[in-house]
Amino acid sequence: MASSGSAAALPNRRARAPMVVIGSVVALAALIAPGYRLGTDPRVEQGDVILVALAPGALLVLSWLVRLLQWWGAARAPARRVMVTAHLAQSPQPASAGRVTAAADAVSAAGGIDTSPKGYAVWLTVSGRNGGVLRQRVVWEPWLRELTRPRQATVRHGSGVSVVDVAGYGRLWPASFTLRRRPYGVRLIPFRKARRLPKANSLSHGRLAYLFLVLVLPCLAGAVTQGMWALLGWWVAYVVASMVAVGAWFGIIPPGVLPGAARRGRAPTTS
């Protein structure tokens, strides 16, 4: 995906996003055909469930193929120098949300459910010399946690998305269209402030494991009782590939890597 003109500008770290995305998309595409065979096999009691599950998987593969073409086009666009700031996208405070959302939060809080704002994705604000500001959600890279202050970068914009090369770090690939307005439904908190929030990242290993179990359950019992281990293996692989592809599509932050929960009390790095 990287263009030859940008290779010299990126001597530091190789982007993981293309490997993660292409790997999950190829896995999903490879699993669709055997999944269809399992779904139409009269011996498989969960055939209807499998066929229904194949539809979003096929849509996800198609959507990612379009997005990869956008990546290819943007990576070959002319570069211009900008400043970028990393932000955590959080659900808004109940007071700033609509009445229905605020009421739902109040009911949830009364029932003991934590309704504090949660973060789930990284957005960059891209500031050019002309004073304009663009906003781009990006696929997670491990070094993103280090961007606690504005950084120099170059941006390549094309096909509705922006590829950002951060000086001294590496390339960030887009996980949304580039916006000239603020994204709806979230508030953007600079990383410097987000790292001080005790629950800045809502995704934890426990929640991720719970989601995995919920998605596996529809085929787990039937596969075990019927002794169809091939079905169970296919379903687990399909769920894992889907979760990875969806996480990259929405720029989801992996559990426990942003707010320094293990280092509370330590000042965030600024270098």
Side-chain angles (χ1 to χ4, degrees), residues 67 123 135-138 160-162 174-179 249:
R67 177 63 53 79
W123 283 80
R135 295 165 181 86
Q136 176 68 69
R137 190 172 65 204
V138 295
V161 299
S162 298
S176 71
F177 285 104
T178 304
L179 302 179
W249 181 266

Side-chain angles (χ1 to χ4, degrees), residues 93-141:
Q93 293 279 1
S96 63
R99 292 183 179 179
V100 174
T101 303
D105 286 337
V107 172
S108 299
I113 300 174
D114 180 16
T115 59
S116 59
K118 302 298 191 297
Y120 63 90
V122 177
W123 283 80
L124 299 180
T125 54
V126 182
S127 305
R129 294 180 179 179
N130 59 0
V133 178
L134 301 176
R135 295 165 181 86
Q136 176 68 69
R137 190 172 65 204
V138 295
V139 181
W140 174 259
E141 294 288 347

Side-chain angles (χ1 to χ4, degrees), residues 113-196:
I113 300 174
D114 180 16
T115 59
S116 59
K118 302 298 191 297
Y120 63 90
V122 177
W123 283 80
L124 299 180
T125 54
V126 182
S127 305
R129 294 180 179 179
N130 59 0
V133 178
L134 301 176
R135 295 165 181 86
Q136 176 68 69
R137 190 172 65 204
V138 295
V139 181
W140 174 259
E141 294 288 347
W143 48 265
L144 263 168
R145 67 174 71 93
E146 301 173 26
L147 301 189
T148 55
R149 61 181 176 85
R151 301 280 181 173
Q152 292 183 347
T154 58
V155 62
R156 302 172 187 270
H157 182 74
S159 305
V161 299
S162 298
V163 173
V164 179
D165 297 329
V166 183
Y169 288 91
R171 172 159 288 184
L172 292 172
W173 294 95
S176 71
F177 285 104
T178 304
L179 302 179
R180 297 185 180 277
R181 54 166 176 79
R182 293 183 180 274
Y184 292 127
V186 296
R187 59 174 186 154
L188 301 183
I189 308 298
F191 268 22
R192 179 182 294 275
K193 296 180 180 179
R195 288 173 65 93
R196 297 171 184 160

Side-chain angles (χ1 to χ4, degrees), residues 192-243:
R192 179 182 294 275
K193 296 180 180 179
R195 288 173 65 93
R196 297 171 184 160
L197 300 176
K199 295 181 180 179
N201 184 2
S202 63
L203 185 61
S204 64
H205 290 95
R207 291 184 179 182
L208 195 62
Y210 175 77
L211 176 61
F212 173 78
L213 289 175
V214 168
L215 294 175
V216 168
L217 279 177
C219 275
L220 178 61
V224 172
T225 56
Q226 292 179 275
M228 300 189 68
W229 304 112
L231 168 61
L232 182 59
W234 175 88
W235 187 260
V236 169
Y238 187 76
V239 167
V240 170
S242 299
M243 290 176 67

